[in-house]
Amino acid sequence: MPRHFLRDDDLTPAEQREVLELAWAFHEDRFLRAPLSGPRAVALVFDKPTLRTQVSFSVGVAELGGFPLVVDGRLAQVGVRESVPDVTRVLDRQVAAIVWRTFGQDRLEEMAAVSRVPVVNALTDDFHPCQILADLLTVAQHHGGLGGLAGQRFAYVGDAANNMAASYLLGGATAGMHVVVAGPEGYLPPAAIVARAEEIAATTGGSVTVTTDARAAVTGADVVAADTWVSMGDEDEAADRLAALADHQVDAGLMALAAPDAIFLHCLPAYRGKEVTAEVIDGPQSVVWDEAENRLHAQKAVLTFLLEHR
């Protein structure tokens, strides 16, 4: 059976460390390994708008020696014109792996249940695990290496019910970090995600805190992260979201509460003046461009890991 990467806790702490070490090695030598030489194709299926994901996976597959086969989800209409299992059976006879950026996590799980090749979550409404690996690599590069991840205080502020918050909870706990997520009432993570993160943290020495107090979350933090307040699919709720989340903007005053050497992360696209001010995201503590580049290295590492652990 192939290994899949559908959510952050599909990797054990030791496996996450192995992937991050490989990602770091790819950062140092982009052509270190070529598990897709041939070239073997990887299907990149996009149901949602994309820039960083399409670019980083396309470049990454090519640098691994493979061929990035981009499938436009609007044309393929996976699950509409053909069922998810039927589409999967067409793809897995011709490609080495399937990367899917889609809406429901259940669609991804339905694909993985029948696929004979690895399936990778390139974002769903519930999780964004490749982004979290890139973020962990970025934190390690700026704060003490991979061995320094455990024990760091990671504060996420904003819509704490979204996919990024869920992945920060699971992925951060796996890395042994002290993860704090802050959002207003009505924008807090599902209880099941918090419980799973607490379960992981109990084995790694990390911890999990959920709060409505953004200032308390950020105080003393080594890392501060934000995300858009209006995720893809939430556009009809934009006005309500902007009003509800207004007190959870990351500005200079909030960043001043973090550790003096704290870094700022944002998975992009960013909306200056809403979830973050320009002086923060364009300021000296921001490492968002390193973070964006690290999608490439992290995803190459994930693909290599999955292909070599079948």
Side-chain angles (χ1 to χ4, degrees), residues 10-283:
D10 282 341
L11 297 178
T12 68
E15 289 172 339
Q16 183 195 69
R17 176 62 180 263
E18 180 181 346
V19 170
L20 290 173
E21 287 176 349
L22 185 54
W24 191 298
F26 274 126
H27 178 268
E28 300 300 313
D29 179 358
R30 288 173 64 155
F31 301 98
L32 177 70
R33 307 253 285 269
L36 293 169
S37 62
R40 302 161 69 195
V42 173
L44 310 177
V45 188
F46 298 108
D47 292 341
K48 287 189 172 188
T50 180
L51 171 64
R52 278 152 297 280
T53 300
Q54 181 171 347
V55 170
S56 56
F57 267 112
S58 297
V59 172
V61 168
E63 291 186 355
L64 292 174
F67 173 74
L69 176 65
V70 176
V71 178
D72 186 336
R74 293 169 299 182
L75 298 177
Q77 299 184 50
V78 181
V80 179
R81 289 181 64 243
E82 298 180 78
S83 70
V84 172
D86 283 359
V87 170
T88 307
R89 293 182 181 110
V90 170
L91 292 176
D92 74 5
R93 287 171 177 254
Q94 303 178 63
V95 302
I98 303 170
V99 174
W100 196 7
R101 181 178 175 93
T102 188
F103 295 89
Q105 182 76 9
D106 58 326
R107 289 162 58 79
L108 199 71
E109 292 172 354
E110 188 177 12
M111 174 175 282
V114 299
S115 179
R116 300 183 301 177
V117 300
V119 176
V120 177
N121 181 349
L123 181 143
T124 65
D125 294 341
D126 291 348
F127 302 104
H128 199 359
C130 289
Q131 181 66 59
I132 270 52
L133 290 175
D135 288 12
L136 292 175
L137 178 61
T138 307
V139 174
Q141 289 170 338
H142 288 272
H143 273 178
L146 294 174
L149 286 175
Q152 292 201 43
R153 182 178 176 87
F154 189 111
Y156 168 81
V157 178
D159 178 4
N162 71 8
N163 51 4
M164 285 299 298
S167 280
Y168 279 137
L169 285 166
L170 297 183
T174 301
M177 305 179 90
H178 301 298
V179 184
V180 186
V181 297
E185 293 290 352
Y187 295 85
L188 297 175
I193 295 297
V194 177
R196 176 59 181 145
E198 290 173 339
E199 180 182 18
I200 297 170
T203 69
T204 62
S207 65
V208 172
T209 303
V210 177
T211 178
T212 58
D213 188 338
R215 294 175 63 84
V218 168
T219 299
D222 302 293
V223 184
V224 178
D227 186 21
T228 179
W229 288 345
V230 184
S231 298
M232 289 173 281
D234 294 332
E235 290 81 0
D236 292 344
E237 305 171 10
D240 291 340
R241 286 177 161 272
L242 295 180
L245 290 156
D247 291 337
H248 286 72
Q249 180 188 68
V250 179
D251 57 16
L254 198 66
M255 279 299 295
L257 299 174
D261 62 345
I263 58 174
F264 174 76
L265 298 177
H266 192 303
C267 63
L268 305 175
Y271 298 92
R272 292 166 174 79
K274 294 188 171 59
E275 72 271 11
V276 61
T277 59
E279 62 184 335
V280 171
I281 195 168
D282 298 322

